Amino acid sequence: MLDVQGISKSYGGRRVLDEVSFTVKPGRMTGFVGANGAGKTTSMRIILGVLAADEGRVLLDDHPIVPDDRRRFGYMPEERGLYPKMRVAEQIVYLARLHGMSTIAAKENTHRLLDRLGLGERADDMVESLSLGNQQRAQIAAALVHEPEVLVLDEPFSGLDPMAVEVVLTVLKDHAASGAPVLFSSHQLDIVERLCDDLVIISGGQIRASGSREALRAEHSPRRFEILLSADAGWVRQQPGVTVIDLDGDYAVFEADELSAQAVLQQAVGRGDVVSFGRQHISLAQIFKEVVA
């Protein structure tokens, strides 16, 4: 488990991180979202030891991180960090060797990852000859090649087309399933919503919300319900304590407290009309707007 505890950072008189705390759990994908300048990259660089925090600490499995621990990390920076004049596979093997892998294991992992990421046929090409999207895939392979126990990715989906996104999603989910804590930032909230198990929202250097995707949806969802009937839903308008937001024939969206909503459901059941009923969950984009406002 990766545990960030009260980290703060200032540049001159400007405080860019203010007692930032969150946890990245083993085997779970944690999305780290915020606007440009919110503090995501600074937080990640402190986790990686590239920057030192003014206050606070970062723990791995309940102990302070030391340099040897960071050999177990995989990191993908937002800015591309591969050598453009090296061949793709040669470079990834080289990076794996820097993390202590044997040559045989490094080559096996490199070719397996390149095949999975759709770069197998480009293994002997120069990095500079790749498209930006393929360079991004190669960068992801470089972060994963040494089988890291912790994975930190800054904007891993930047520049990827929809098909490439699906490929990368699968690879990252598989790595998390092995038990690794995975922290990734992204501006693409639709992807974060699909991929993350947990979510951390940062704004102005402060954590505004964190928790599981489901818990945050439940916490920030309005008292809004939707019901689909096998007959016209117009009668829902007349129910006490109910405000209908949308009504379209047999489908209604309404706001109500839990008791009033259950009363609607009971009446619908009594009529024998219920097809489906449930709380309407808001999107990650809506939660983001609410907590950073």
Side-chain angles (χ1 to χ4, degrees):
M1 182 171 70
L2 184 66
D3 193 13
V4 178
Q5 297 185 346
I7 60 173
S8 297
K9 182 70 176 177
S10 297
Y11 293 107
R14 188 168 69 94
R15 197 169 179 88
V16 295
L17 294 180
D18 188 9
E19 297 187 5
V20 166
S21 298
F22 60 89
T23 298
V24 186
K25 298 176 182 176
R28 294 177 70 84
M29 302 282 294
T30 298
F32 194 25
V33 299
N36 288 334
K40 302 187 302 296
T41 296
T42 300
S43 299
M44 289 181 162
R45 287 175 175 170
I46 289 173
I47 290 170
L48 270 295
V50 177
L51 291 175
D54 298 334
E55 302 170 18
R57 59 182 186 166
V58 182
L59 306 180
L60 179 63
D61 297 334
D62 298 321
H63 67 79
I65 295 177
V66 298
D68 279 350
D69 291 325
R70 292 194 171 95
R71 291 170 63 89
R72 300 153 55 192
F73 281 47
Y75 176 50
M76 197 196 87
E78 182 177 8
E79 61 280 358
R80 288 177 174 82
L82 300 179
Y83 300 110
K85 300 293 184 182
M86 286 184 72
R87 300 186 190 280
V88 176
E90 177 187 8
Q91 178 160 185
I92 295 172
V93 169
Y94 169 71
L95 294 172
R97 296 283 291 127
L98 287 181
H99 280 88
M101 294 194 81
S102 69
T103 300
I104 292 175
K107 288 182 177 180
E108 288 178 350
N109 282 8
T110 293
H111 290 292
R112 175 178 55 81
L113 276 169
L114 291 180
D115 285 342
R116 290 201 67 191
L117 290 165
L119 290 177
E121 295 181 355
R122 308 298 301 273
D124 293 326
D125 293 353
M126 297 293 185
V127 170
E128 66 182 358
S129 73
L130 302 181
S131 67
L132 293 180
N134 281 340
Q135 288 184 33
Q136 189 80 340
R137 297 194 207 196
Q139 189 106 12
I140 291 167
L144 288 167
V145 67
H146 58 289
E147 300 175 349
E149 296 178 29
V150 180
L151 191 57
V152 179
L153 307 171
D154 199 352
E155 296 291 341
F157 306 104
S158 177
L160 296 182
D161 62 44
M163 289 187 64
V165 166
E166 293 303 318
V167 170
V168 172
L169 286 177
T170 300
V171 171
L172 295 182
K173 284 181 179 178
D174 288 349
H175 192 72
S178 72
V182 178
L183 176 68
F184 71 98
S185 71
S186 179
H187 288 97
Q188 296 160 277
L189 297 182
D190 57 330
I191 294 176
V192 177
E193 189 156 22
R194 289 168 53 202
L195 182 57
C196 73
D197 302 299
D198 302 309
L199 182 66
V200 177
I201 299 176
I202 188 170
S203 178
Q206 297 180 326
I207 301 301
R208 301 303 179 90
S210 64
S212 73
R213 179 179 53 188
E214 292 75 17
L216 287 175
R217 278 177 171 167
E219 178 183 350
H220 294 278
S221 290
R223 298 179 303 172
R224 187 171 291 187
F225 300 82
E226 55 186 355
I227 190 166
L228 178 63
L229 306 175
S230 58
D232 186 79
W235 58 267
V236 176
R237 291 187 186 276
Q238 281 69 55
Q239 298 308 295
V242 169
T243 301
V244 172
I245 305 301
D246 184 28
L247 182 63
D248 184 9
D250 55 2
Y251 174 75
V253 177
F254 61 92
E255 289 184 353
D257 60 29
E258 194 68 37
L259 288 176
S260 298
Q262 290 302 316
V264 171
L265 176 60
Q266 289 172 9
Q267 181 161 340
V269 170
R271 291 167 174 257
D273 291 342
V274 180
V275 176
S276 65
F277 172 83
R279 184 181 294 272
Q280 188 180 57
H281 293 297
I282 65 175
S283 69
L284 172 54
Q286 291 171 299
I287 294 172
F288 179 79
K289 289 177 182 178
E290 178 183 331
V291 301
V292 303

